[in-house]
Amino acid sequence: MLNRTDAFSGFESRNEKRGGGKGETMTSRKYNPHEVEEKWQAVWEKRGMFRVTEDPKRPKYYLMEMFPYPSGNLHMGHVRNYSIGDVLARYRRMNGWNVLHPMGWDAFGMPAENAAIESGVHPATHTDRNIQKMIRQLKRMGFSYDWDREINTSAPEYYRWEQWLFIQMFRKGLAYRKSSEVNWCQQCQTVLANEQVEGGKCWRCAREVVPRELEQWFFRITEYAQELLEECGRMDGWPERVLTMQKNWIGRSEGGRILFPLSDREGGIEVFTTRQDTLFGATFMSLAPEHPLAMALAEGGDREREVRAFIDRIRRQDKRSRVSEDYEKEGVFTGAYCTNPVTDERIPVFVANFVVMEYGTGAVMAVPAHDQRDFEFARRYDLPVRVVVLPEGVDHLAAESLEEAFEGDGILTDSGPFSGLESAAARKKITAYLEEKGLAEATVQYRLRDWCISRQRYWGAPIPVVYCDRCGIQPVPEEDLPIRLPMDVDFQAGGSPLAAHPEFVKATCPSCQGPARRETDTMDTFVESSWYFDRYTSPHYDQGMFDPEKVDYWMPVDLYIGGIEHAVLHLLYSRFYTRVLRDMGMLKVDEPFRNLLTQGMVIKDGAKMSKSKGNVVDPDAMIRRYGADTTRLFSLFAAPPEKDLEWSEQGVEGAFRFLQRIWRWLEEWREELIDVSPYDGPVPAGEPAASLYRKVHETIYRVTRDIGERLHLNTAVSAIMELVNELYQVDRSRVREGALERSVLRMAIETVLILLSPYAPHIADELWAGLGHEKPLLEVPWPTFREEALRKDEITLVVQVNGKVRSKLQVARDLPQGEIERKALEDEKVQRFLSGKPPKKIVYVPGRLINIVA
RNA sequence: GCGAGAGUGGCGGAACCGGCAGACGCACUGGAUUUAGGAUCCAGCGGGCAACCGUGGGGGUUCGAAUCCCCCCUCUCGCACCA
């Protein structure tokens, strides 16, 4: 363990013998972060400084960070995320905004339940204990949360409204039940979310996960696919990267559905294709092994056994390896044929391992000449290849000598009346032609699938429905909400504890009053996080999900900060939920998050911190050794927010040194400055006062812009450091003789403290109070800079010859161009590089440089 | 394969809209102070003796390019038999 005195050793001895040198004796205090931080945290709490209410007189600013799962341990990723948020929240407050900055707990989820299975501690107890621990950690970091708005998603007061909304969604058909294939762990006897399957294995017991067909609850997110996609194009406050990921995830393709009638029997096979222009080249059909017709077509024929064996084999294969890159394409002929609707040819129907049931119709028209997969398949099984699209400028392609499919658009050939058309036009015409015959329709296909929200787990919000043998699925009456999780459950039995709880399962049908069976699945935890930002606006409201007036005042969130790992799931679900609530008349906004900041990971030794790599840095240890201010400061200074941050112990030392440097400077100057008021006027006459004054205003300008506009939190720290370096250059004797007024010096150090306060609020408040101030810095207005202080009377002009810097000129800011040119040409160094030749051209950029072209 | 982002000293990173490359910090070196320093303060710190050369490599536009354009290389992330 680190020794606390290590960090302070410099002070211990220094303090003993301070006071000599400059003829003064003062008892100086050493910087003890713990003392300072705990003191100020208590003051802030006592003043209730972080509480916020609606205020029509001030502009609102809703800033939040993604809430954590209460694991019981704050990690560096949290520290970074919340430090970024806290700087911005404090900055906005000091600039006059009414800032909502809440925190809560994404409290449902598997880890608590797994802990219960292993240790016997109830998930609720486990979760509450963890929350208490993390609250202490967050408070110890000094984050400015309004704790009165704390949300715990596992509280019945919260999930009650989630159940309520579920019922509304059920009534509108937005929540529905269907059979689907899910990840099933045989060891744990439960469904696993996709993100809980690691490399095809259960993340807990490492047993192979198998697909299993189960009835599940879904939310109809696909209903909003088009709107969710379109809005991506207008969300200028989100990183392009995230929008692209969402667009890809939604995955819109325009195409058509085409019916291939079956030969020798009733019915047909419907395919989805984006390449209607290649229809004349479709020489066989491929079905997914899961396709209902796959087995049906083979049944009774001589290929039945072979087809069954193939389908069984493929379906047993792990889904993951089935979609891997090196998966070899194979298939089996079903013995059946269908008819190409434009050529009237009989084409064989295959079952192919690379066709997936989940996309389109689970059936693909195979065009080997123009699709690489079909091409490989055709070569392997010796199926005909027919070229029907020629690349621009090519008038013939021999199918036999083709080495790969031509997948581009081109000019149609061998396509009956459509030959000669361009691909794009042909797609439309061929679809229209078949539409008339009732064999096709133009459709849009999305990759996005409906959101499966049921989980066969205990620690989640119960889905509020009952099953009645007579009346079917019945939503629970609203007055019976919340459907509470029973506490007396057995976790050791395996399987879902709710299903094994007879009193929970036993229910009455709200329709016929007869006996019914309660749903024992719980909701995906992503459901809770899809609306918690609405709930923060009125967390104790008990008449509905949230108070309509308050939600209208605060929403949308002005800035949302979190990790990129939620780029699709959580952020897409929240966007969906916001629209559902809007369409129910409960919200007036379309989008929940106006601006999104995705912060980078915290890494150590080049890798993400993880227990298995043994490179975890514990925030508690950092606080113990350096304090919260240093921990915050380093995590903000070492990299810009969006980039990954390499944790460096030496870097942390540097941040700690910087804070000590400010502390020490004030120790040395306090007596000189204690009775002085800060200078508050125009640029003072005479040096060094004017220079220091300018530096102060330049710093205000830079820090304000870096935090407020550019979100470059790291460079703002650099700017403050520069100002502090400048303060260390101040010559005490010049102050004594009056060349540098004490008031200017006082203004400078006060500015340092104000600008620093969002980053290191405790030490800033301590030193601020030490200067005699009563109010904490959070209640002090942010300083403004004077324009005229940024304009220097005398500027350094760069002099280039042929684009290379050769000299510099000190000139008056408003010196006319002619004068400047004359001075530049007279310059000795310039003359050397001109070697007597007259300049061909002179480029003058006012205030910046002059370039002489020889 | 497709899409996005990135490549700058020994390291983390600055450099706004094309105008002094390397701010600030770390590491390192020297000095001061000190019984001592792994503390503090001050100074130095891309390469090269120099002319000069330097922002992944090559070309281009421009008076002038880390920044804009074209080609290539490398890395990171996302998607990926999507029909």
PDB file of all heavy atoms in Angstrom, chain A residues 237-266:
ATOM      1  N   GLY A 237     -25.540  17.530 -32.971  1.00  0.00           N
ATOM      2  CA  GLY A 237     -24.843  17.526 -31.685  1.00  0.00           C
ATOM      3  C   GLY A 237     -24.283  16.167 -31.297  1.00  0.00           C
ATOM      4  O   GLY A 237     -23.786  15.997 -30.185  1.00  0.00           O
ATOM      5  N   TRP A 238     -24.386  15.215 -32.206  1.00  0.00           N
ATOM      6  CA  TRP A 238     -23.862  13.875 -31.924  1.00  0.00           C
ATOM      7  C   TRP A 238     -22.632  13.608 -32.768  1.00  0.00           C
ATOM      8  O   TRP A 238     -22.552  14.072 -33.912  1.00  0.00           O
ATOM      9  CB  TRP A 238     -24.922  12.809 -32.254  1.00  0.00           C
ATOM     10  CG  TRP A 238     -25.994  12.653 -31.236  1.00  0.00           C
ATOM     11  CD1 TRP A 238     -26.587  13.649 -30.506  1.00  0.00           C
ATOM     12  CD2 TRP A 238     -26.615  11.428 -30.835  1.00  0.00           C
ATOM     13  NE1 TRP A 238     -27.533  13.099 -29.690  1.00  0.00           N
ATOM     14  CE2 TRP A 238     -27.579  11.744 -29.861  1.00  0.00           C
ATOM     15  CE3 TRP A 238     -26.456  10.091 -31.212  1.00  0.00           C
ATOM     16  CZ2 TRP A 238     -28.368  10.768 -29.254  1.00  0.00           C
ATOM     17  CZ3 TRP A 238     -27.246   9.124 -30.616  1.00  0.00           C
ATOM     18  CH2 TRP A 238     -28.184   9.468 -29.637  1.00  0.00           C
ATOM     19  N   PRO A 239     -21.698  12.822 -32.254  1.00  0.00           N
ATOM     20  CA  PRO A 239     -20.523  12.484 -33.062  1.00  0.00           C
ATOM     21  C   PRO A 239     -20.936  11.698 -34.309  1.00  0.00           C
ATOM     22  O   PRO A 239     -21.803  10.820 -34.229  1.00  0.00           O
ATOM     23  CB  PRO A 239     -19.680  11.597 -32.142  1.00  0.00           C
ATOM     24  CG  PRO A 239     -20.202  11.814 -30.764  1.00  0.00           C
ATOM     25  CD  PRO A 239     -21.637  12.224 -30.915  1.00  0.00           C
ATOM     26  N   GLU A 240     -20.315  12.028 -35.394  1.00  0.00           N
ATOM     27  CA  GLU A 240     -20.602  11.369 -36.659  1.00  0.00           C
ATOM     28  C   GLU A 240     -20.480   9.848 -36.547  1.00  0.00           C
ATOM     29  O   GLU A 240     -21.272   9.085 -37.093  1.00  0.00           O
ATOM     30  CB  GLU A 240     -19.606  11.888 -37.708  1.00  0.00           C
ATOM     31  CG  GLU A 240     -20.014  11.657 -39.148  1.00  0.00           C
ATOM     32  CD  GLU A 240     -21.411  12.164 -39.473  1.00  0.00           C
ATOM     33  OE1 GLU A 240     -21.733  13.309 -39.093  1.00  0.00           O
ATOM     34  OE2 GLU A 240     -22.184  11.410 -40.089  1.00  0.00           O
ATOM     35  N   ARG A 241     -19.495   9.433 -35.788  1.00  0.00           N
ATOM     36  CA  ARG A 241     -19.212   8.021 -35.593  1.00  0.00           C
ATOM     37  C   ARG A 241     -20.431   7.278 -35.019  1.00  0.00           C
ATOM     38  O   ARG A 241     -20.776   6.190 -35.457  1.00  0.00           O
ATOM     39  CB  ARG A 241     -18.051   7.937 -34.597  1.00  0.00           C
ATOM     40  CG  ARG A 241     -17.342   6.650 -34.501  1.00  0.00           C
ATOM     41  CD  ARG A 241     -15.936   6.882 -33.978  1.00  0.00           C
ATOM     42  NE  ARG A 241     -15.887   7.295 -32.592  1.00  0.00           N
ATOM     43  CZ  ARG A 241     -15.396   6.517 -31.611  1.00  0.00           C
ATOM     44  NH1 ARG A 241     -14.980   5.312 -31.885  1.00  0.00           N
ATOM     45  NH2 ARG A 241     -15.332   6.959 -30.393  1.00  0.00           N
ATOM     46  N   VAL A 242     -21.050   7.883 -34.027  1.00  0.00           N
ATOM     47  CA  VAL A 242     -22.192   7.241 -33.386  1.00  0.00           C
ATOM     48  C   VAL A 242     -23.380   7.205 -34.341  1.00  0.00           C
ATOM     49  O   VAL A 242     -24.082   6.197 -34.449  1.00  0.00           O
ATOM     50  CB  VAL A 242     -22.569   7.987 -32.087  1.00  0.00           C
ATOM     51  CG1 VAL A 242     -23.821   7.403 -31.470  1.00  0.00           C
ATOM     52  CG2 VAL A 242     -21.414   7.935 -31.097  1.00  0.00           C
ATOM     53  N   LEU A 243     -23.579   8.285 -35.068  1.00  0.00           N
ATOM     54  CA  LEU A 243     -24.695   8.332 -36.010  1.00  0.00           C
ATOM     55  C   LEU A 243     -24.506   7.277 -37.101  1.00  0.00           C
ATOM     56  O   LEU A 243     -25.460   6.613 -37.499  1.00  0.00           O
ATOM     57  CB  LEU A 243     -24.804   9.728 -36.628  1.00  0.00           C
ATOM     58  CG  LEU A 243     -25.231  10.822 -35.644  1.00  0.00           C
ATOM     59  CD1 LEU A 243     -25.135  12.192 -36.285  1.00  0.00           C
ATOM     60  CD2 LEU A 243     -26.649  10.573 -35.137  1.00  0.00           C
ATOM     61  N   THR A 244     -23.272   7.140 -37.558  1.00  0.00           N
ATOM     62  CA  THR A 244     -22.998   6.136 -38.580  1.00  0.00           C
ATOM     63  C   THR A 244     -23.305   4.744 -38.047  1.00  0.00           C
ATOM     64  O   THR A 244     -23.907   3.922 -38.738  1.00  0.00           O
ATOM     65  CB  THR A 244     -21.518   6.205 -39.001  1.00  0.00           C
ATOM     66  OG1 THR A 244     -21.233   7.539 -39.391  1.00  0.00           O
ATOM     67  CG2 THR A 244     -21.240   5.276 -40.149  1.00  0.00           C
ATOM     68  N   MET A 245     -22.910   4.490 -36.808  1.00  0.00           N
ATOM     69  CA  MET A 245     -23.165   3.183 -36.227  1.00  0.00           C
ATOM     70  C   MET A 245     -24.665   2.931 -36.124  1.00  0.00           C
ATOM     71  O   MET A 245     -25.142   1.832 -36.383  1.00  0.00           O
ATOM     72  CB  MET A 245     -22.511   3.083 -34.849  1.00  0.00           C
ATOM     73  CG  MET A 245     -21.013   2.832 -34.940  1.00  0.00           C
ATOM     74  SD  MET A 245     -20.137   3.165 -33.405  1.00  0.00           S
ATOM     75  CE  MET A 245     -20.622   1.773 -32.415  1.00  0.00           C
ATOM     76  N   GLN A 246     -25.410   3.966 -35.771  1.00  0.00           N
ATOM     77  CA  GLN A 246     -26.849   3.788 -35.666  1.00  0.00           C
ATOM     78  C   GLN A 246     -27.469   3.558 -37.043  1.00  0.00           C
ATOM     79  O   GLN A 246     -28.349   2.716 -37.196  1.00  0.00           O
ATOM     80  CB  GLN A 246     -27.493   5.003 -34.990  1.00  0.00           C
ATOM     81  CG  GLN A 246     -27.066   5.123 -33.533  1.00  0.00           C
ATOM     82  CD  GLN A 246     -28.186   5.567 -32.604  1.00  0.00           C
ATOM     83  OE1 GLN A 246     -29.239   6.031 -33.034  1.00  0.00           O
ATOM     84  NE2 GLN A 246     -27.970   5.405 -31.313  1.00  0.00           N
ATOM     85  N   LYS A 247     -26.996   4.313 -38.016  1.00  0.00           N
ATOM     86  CA  LYS A 247     -27.528   4.138 -39.376  1.00  0.00           C
ATOM     87  C   LYS A 247     -27.260   2.718 -39.873  1.00  0.00           C
ATOM     88  O   LYS A 247     -28.124   2.073 -40.455  1.00  0.00           O
ATOM     89  CB  LYS A 247     -26.889   5.145 -40.337  1.00  0.00           C
ATOM     90  CG  LYS A 247     -27.447   6.554 -40.193  1.00  0.00           C
ATOM     91  CD  LYS A 247     -26.849   7.468 -41.255  1.00  0.00           C
ATOM     92  CE  LYS A 247     -26.462   8.806 -40.664  1.00  0.00           C
ATOM     93  NZ  LYS A 247     -25.533   9.564 -41.504  1.00  0.00           N
ATOM     94  N   ASN A 248     -26.036   2.250 -39.621  1.00  0.00           N
ATOM     95  CA  ASN A 248     -25.699   0.886 -40.042  1.00  0.00           C
ATOM     96  C   ASN A 248     -26.556  -0.143 -39.322  1.00  0.00           C
ATOM     97  O   ASN A 248     -26.948  -1.149 -39.889  1.00  0.00           O
ATOM     98  CB  ASN A 248     -24.224   0.569 -39.757  1.00  0.00           C
ATOM     99  CG  ASN A 248     -23.304   1.344 -40.667  1.00  0.00           C
ATOM    100  OD1 ASN A 248     -23.722   1.846 -41.699  1.00  0.00           O
ATOM    101  ND2 ASN A 248     -22.040   1.454 -40.283  1.00  0.00           N
ATOM    102  N   TRP A 249     -26.786   0.129 -38.059  1.00  0.00           N
ATOM    103  CA  TRP A 249     -27.547  -0.823 -37.255  1.00  0.00           C
ATOM    104  C   TRP A 249     -28.991  -0.918 -37.764  1.00  0.00           C
ATOM    105  O   TRP A 249     -29.563  -1.995 -37.859  1.00  0.00           O
ATOM    106  CB  TRP A 249     -27.518  -0.394 -35.790  1.00  0.00           C
ATOM    107  CG  TRP A 249     -28.140  -1.394 -34.882  1.00  0.00           C
ATOM    108  CD1 TRP A 249     -29.429  -1.411 -34.452  1.00  0.00           C
ATOM    109  CD2 TRP A 249     -27.495  -2.526 -34.293  1.00  0.00           C
ATOM    110  NE1 TRP A 249     -29.637  -2.492 -33.626  1.00  0.00           N
ATOM    111  CE2 TRP A 249     -28.466  -3.194 -33.505  1.00  0.00           C
ATOM    112  CE3 TRP A 249     -26.207  -3.047 -34.341  1.00  0.00           C
ATOM    113  CZ2 TRP A 249     -28.177  -4.351 -32.786  1.00  0.00           C
ATOM    114  CZ3 TRP A 249     -25.922  -4.195 -33.615  1.00  0.00           C
ATOM    115  CH2 TRP A 249     -26.902  -4.843 -32.864  1.00  0.00           C
ATOM    116  N   ILE A 250     -29.554   0.229 -38.098  1.00  0.00           N
ATOM    117  CA  ILE A 250     -30.916   0.246 -38.625  1.00  0.00           C
ATOM    118  C   ILE A 250     -30.919  -0.380 -40.018  1.00  0.00           C
ATOM    119  O   ILE A 250     -31.820  -1.135 -40.370  1.00  0.00           O
ATOM    120  CB  ILE A 250     -31.478   1.677 -38.642  1.00  0.00           C
ATOM    121  CG1 ILE A 250     -31.583   2.208 -37.206  1.00  0.00           C
ATOM    122  CG2 ILE A 250     -32.850   1.720 -39.312  1.00  0.00           C
ATOM    123  CD1 ILE A 250     -31.850   3.704 -37.101  1.00  0.00           C
ATOM    124  N   GLY A 251     -29.894  -0.076 -40.782  1.00  0.00           N
ATOM    125  CA  GLY A 251     -29.634  -0.777 -42.042  1.00  0.00           C
ATOM    126  C   GLY A 251     -30.776  -0.813 -43.040  1.00  0.00           C
ATOM    127  O   GLY A 251     -31.322  -1.861 -43.341  1.00  0.00           O
ATOM    128  N   ARG A 252     -31.108   0.328 -43.577  1.00  0.00           N
ATOM    129  CA  ARG A 252     -32.189   0.374 -44.544  1.00  0.00           C
ATOM    130  C   ARG A 252     -31.713  -0.066 -45.926  1.00  0.00           C
ATOM    131  O   ARG A 252     -30.688   0.401 -46.399  1.00  0.00           O
ATOM    132  CB  ARG A 252     -32.683   1.826 -44.617  1.00  0.00           C
ATOM    133  CG  ARG A 252     -33.840   2.070 -45.540  1.00  0.00           C
ATOM    134  CD  ARG A 252     -34.186   3.550 -45.531  1.00  0.00           C
ATOM    135  NE  ARG A 252     -35.560   3.782 -45.949  1.00  0.00           N
ATOM    136  CZ  ARG A 252     -35.914   3.980 -47.213  1.00  0.00           C
ATOM    137  NH1 ARG A 252     -35.022   3.969 -48.160  1.00  0.00           N
ATOM    138  NH2 ARG A 252     -37.186   4.182 -47.507  1.00  0.00           N
ATOM    139  N   SER A 253     -32.425  -0.978 -46.571  1.00  0.00           N
ATOM    140  CA  SER A 253     -32.166  -1.245 -47.989  1.00  0.00           C
ATOM    141  C   SER A 253     -33.461  -1.217 -48.758  1.00  0.00           C
ATOM    142  O   SER A 253     -34.449  -1.826 -48.368  1.00  0.00           O
ATOM    143  CB  SER A 253     -31.526  -2.608 -48.264  1.00  0.00           C
ATOM    144  OG  SER A 253     -30.975  -3.179 -47.151  1.00  0.00           O
ATOM    145  N   GLU A 254     -33.395  -0.522 -49.881  1.00  0.00           N
ATOM    146  CA  GLU A 254     -34.551  -0.484 -50.758  1.00  0.00           C
ATOM    147  C   GLU A 254     -34.461  -1.631 -51.731  1.00  0.00           C
ATOM    148  O   GLU A 254     -33.402  -1.893 -52.299  1.00  0.00           O
ATOM    149  CB  GLU A 254     -34.562   0.845 -51.534  1.00  0.00           C
ATOM    150  CG  GLU A 254     -35.265   1.938 -50.766  1.00  0.00           C
ATOM    151  CD  GLU A 254     -35.274   3.235 -51.519  1.00  0.00           C
ATOM    152  OE1 GLU A 254     -35.591   3.223 -52.723  1.00  0.00           O
ATOM    153  OE2 GLU A 254     -34.950   4.264 -50.893  1.00  0.00           O
ATOM    154  N   GLY A 255     -35.561  -2.302 -51.915  1.00  0.00           N
ATOM    155  CA  GLY A 255     -35.539  -3.416 -52.857  1.00  0.00           C
ATOM    156  C   GLY A 255     -36.951  -3.863 -53.138  1.00  0.00           C
ATOM    157  O   GLY A 255     -37.876  -3.047 -53.127  1.00  0.00           O
ATOM    158  N   GLY A 256     -37.092  -5.149 -53.374  1.00  0.00           N
ATOM    159  CA  GLY A 256     -38.428  -5.636 -53.655  1.00  0.00           C
ATOM    160  C   GLY A 256     -38.582  -7.073 -53.215  1.00  0.00           C
ATOM    161  O   GLY A 256     -37.594  -7.793 -53.034  1.00  0.00           O
ATOM    162  N   ARG A 257     -39.819  -7.435 -52.996  1.00  0.00           N
ATOM    163  CA  ARG A 257     -40.115  -8.840 -52.719  1.00  0.00           C
ATOM    164  C   ARG A 257     -40.646  -9.436 -54.013  1.00  0.00           C
ATOM    165  O   ARG A 257     -41.473  -8.824 -54.695  1.00  0.00           O
ATOM    166  CB  ARG A 257     -41.165  -8.953 -51.628  1.00  0.00           C
ATOM    167  CG  ARG A 257     -40.585  -8.480 -50.313  1.00  0.00           C
ATOM    168  CD  ARG A 257     -41.456  -8.833 -49.142  1.00  0.00           C
ATOM    169  NE  ARG A 257     -40.749  -8.442 -47.932  1.00  0.00           N
ATOM    170  CZ  ARG A 257     -40.721  -9.162 -46.816  1.00  0.00           C
ATOM    171  NH1 ARG A 257     -41.386 -10.294 -46.745  1.00  0.00           N
ATOM    172  NH2 ARG A 257     -40.034  -8.740 -45.779  1.00  0.00           N
ATOM    173  N   ILE A 258     -40.133 -10.606 -54.351  1.00  0.00           N
ATOM    174  CA  ILE A 258     -40.528 -11.250 -55.601  1.00  0.00           C
ATOM    175  C   ILE A 258     -40.957 -12.684 -55.282  1.00  0.00           C
ATOM    176  O   ILE A 258     -40.294 -13.369 -54.501  1.00  0.00           O
ATOM    177  CB  ILE A 258     -39.355 -11.273 -56.613  1.00  0.00           C
ATOM    178  CG1 ILE A 258     -38.937  -9.823 -56.945  1.00  0.00           C
ATOM    179  CG2 ILE A 258     -39.745 -12.028 -57.879  1.00  0.00           C
ATOM    180  CD1 ILE A 258     -37.711  -9.726 -57.822  1.00  0.00           C
ATOM    181  N   LEU A 259     -42.045 -13.075 -55.883  1.00  0.00           N
ATOM    182  CA  LEU A 259     -42.566 -14.420 -55.636  1.00  0.00           C
ATOM    183  C   LEU A 259     -42.139 -15.369 -56.751  1.00  0.00           C
ATOM    184  O   LEU A 259     -42.362 -15.097 -57.924  1.00  0.00           O
ATOM    185  CB  LEU A 259     -44.094 -14.379 -55.538  1.00  0.00           C
ATOM    186  CG  LEU A 259     -44.740 -15.673 -55.054  1.00  0.00           C
ATOM    187  CD1 LEU A 259     -44.446 -15.883 -53.578  1.00  0.00           C
ATOM    188  CD2 LEU A 259     -46.242 -15.646 -55.308  1.00  0.00           C
ATOM    189  N   PHE A 260     -41.515 -16.461 -56.366  1.00  0.00           N
ATOM    190  CA  PHE A 260     -41.148 -17.522 -57.311  1.00  0.00           C
ATOM    191  C   PHE A 260     -42.133 -18.670 -57.087  1.00  0.00           C
ATOM    192  O   PHE A 260     -42.038 -19.371 -56.080  1.00  0.00           O
ATOM    193  CB  PHE A 260     -39.724 -18.024 -57.043  1.00  0.00           C
ATOM    194  CG  PHE A 260     -38.634 -17.091 -57.504  1.00  0.00           C
ATOM    195  CD1 PHE A 260     -38.511 -15.802 -56.986  1.00  0.00           C
ATOM    196  CD2 PHE A 260     -37.702 -17.527 -58.458  1.00  0.00           C
ATOM    197  CE1 PHE A 260     -37.485 -14.962 -57.412  1.00  0.00           C
ATOM    198  CE2 PHE A 260     -36.683 -16.684 -58.892  1.00  0.00           C
ATOM    199  CZ  PHE A 260     -36.570 -15.402 -58.367  1.00  0.00           C
ATOM    200  N   PRO A 261     -43.079 -18.871 -58.035  1.00  0.00           N
ATOM    201  CA  PRO A 261     -44.046 -19.958 -57.839  1.00  0.00           C
ATOM    202  C   PRO A 261     -43.343 -21.308 -57.811  1.00  0.00           C
ATOM    203  O   PRO A 261     -42.381 -21.532 -58.546  1.00  0.00           O
ATOM    204  CB  PRO A 261     -44.956 -19.850 -59.066  1.00  0.00           C
ATOM    205  CG  PRO A 261     -44.699 -18.509 -59.647  1.00  0.00           C
ATOM    206  CD  PRO A 261     -43.291 -18.154 -59.295  1.00  0.00           C
ATOM    207  N   LEU A 262     -43.829 -22.214 -56.953  1.00  0.00           N
ATOM    208  CA  LEU A 262     -43.254 -23.557 -56.889  1.00  0.00           C
ATOM    209  C   LEU A 262     -43.711 -24.364 -58.095  1.00  0.00           C
ATOM    210  O   LEU A 262     -44.846 -24.210 -58.550  1.00  0.00           O
ATOM    211  CB  LEU A 262     -43.705 -24.250 -55.599  1.00  0.00           C
ATOM    212  CG  LEU A 262     -43.055 -23.741 -54.315  1.00  0.00           C
ATOM    213  CD1 LEU A 262     -43.778 -24.296 -53.098  1.00  0.00           C
ATOM    214  CD2 LEU A 262     -41.582 -24.134 -54.277  1.00  0.00           C
ATOM    215  N   SER A 263     -42.827 -25.210 -58.585  1.00  0.00           N
ATOM    216  CA  SER A 263     -43.216 -26.103 -59.673  1.00  0.00           C
ATOM    217  C   SER A 263     -43.871 -27.333 -59.052  1.00  0.00           C
ATOM    218  O   SER A 263     -43.517 -27.744 -57.947  1.00  0.00           O
ATOM    219  CB  SER A 263     -41.986 -26.556 -60.452  1.00  0.00           C
ATOM    220  OG  SER A 263     -41.211 -25.428 -60.799  1.00  0.00           O
ATOM    221  N   ASP A 264     -44.792 -27.876 -59.725  1.00  0.00           N
ATOM    222  CA  ASP A 264     -45.405 -29.156 -59.359  1.00  0.00           C
ATOM    223  C   ASP A 264     -46.188 -29.119 -58.060  1.00  0.00           C
ATOM    224  O   ASP A 264     -46.517 -30.162 -57.510  1.00  0.00           O
ATOM    225  CB  ASP A 264     -44.360 -30.289 -59.250  1.00  0.00           C
ATOM    226  CG  ASP A 264     -43.378 -30.232 -60.394  1.00  0.00           C
ATOM    227  OD1 ASP A 264     -43.831 -29.984 -61.534  1.00  0.00           O
ATOM    228  OD2 ASP A 264     -42.168 -30.400 -60.139  1.00  0.00           O
ATOM    229  N   ARG A 265     -46.404 -27.967 -57.499  1.00  0.00           N
ATOM    230  CA  ARG A 265     -47.242 -27.906 -56.301  1.00  0.00           C
ATOM    231  C   ARG A 265     -47.713 -26.482 -56.064  1.00  0.00           C
ATOM    232  O   ARG A 265     -47.286 -25.558 -56.744  1.00  0.00           O
ATOM    233  CB  ARG A 265     -46.524 -28.468 -55.074  1.00  0.00           C
ATOM    234  CG  ARG A 265     -45.329 -27.628 -54.631  1.00  0.00           C
ATOM    235  CD  ARG A 265     -44.698 -28.225 -53.394  1.00  0.00           C
ATOM    236  NE  ARG A 265     -43.670 -29.200 -53.737  1.00  0.00           N
ATOM    237  CZ  ARG A 265     -43.134 -30.047 -52.858  1.00  0.00           C
ATOM    238  NH1 ARG A 265     -43.561 -30.065 -51.620  1.00  0.00           N
ATOM    239  NH2 ARG A 265     -42.185 -30.882 -53.235  1.00  0.00           N
ATOM    240  N   GLU A 266     -48.584 -26.333 -55.086  1.00  0.00           N
ATOM    241  CA  GLU A 266     -49.159 -25.033 -54.756  1.00  0.00           C
ATOM    242  C   GLU A 266     -48.136 -24.132 -54.074  1.00  0.00           C
ATOM    243  O   GLU A 266     -47.179 -24.604 -53.470  1.00  0.00           O
ATOM    244  CB  GLU A 266     -50.342 -25.219 -53.788  1.00  0.00           C
ATOM    245  CG  GLU A 266     -51.584 -25.834 -54.422  1.00  0.00           C
ATOM    246  CD  GLU A 266     -52.227 -24.895 -55.420  1.00  0.00           C
ATOM    247  OE1 GLU A 266     -52.634 -23.789 -55.017  1.00  0.00           O
ATOM    248  OE2 GLU A 266     -52.286 -25.259 -56.622  1.00  0.00           O
TER     249      GLU A 266
END
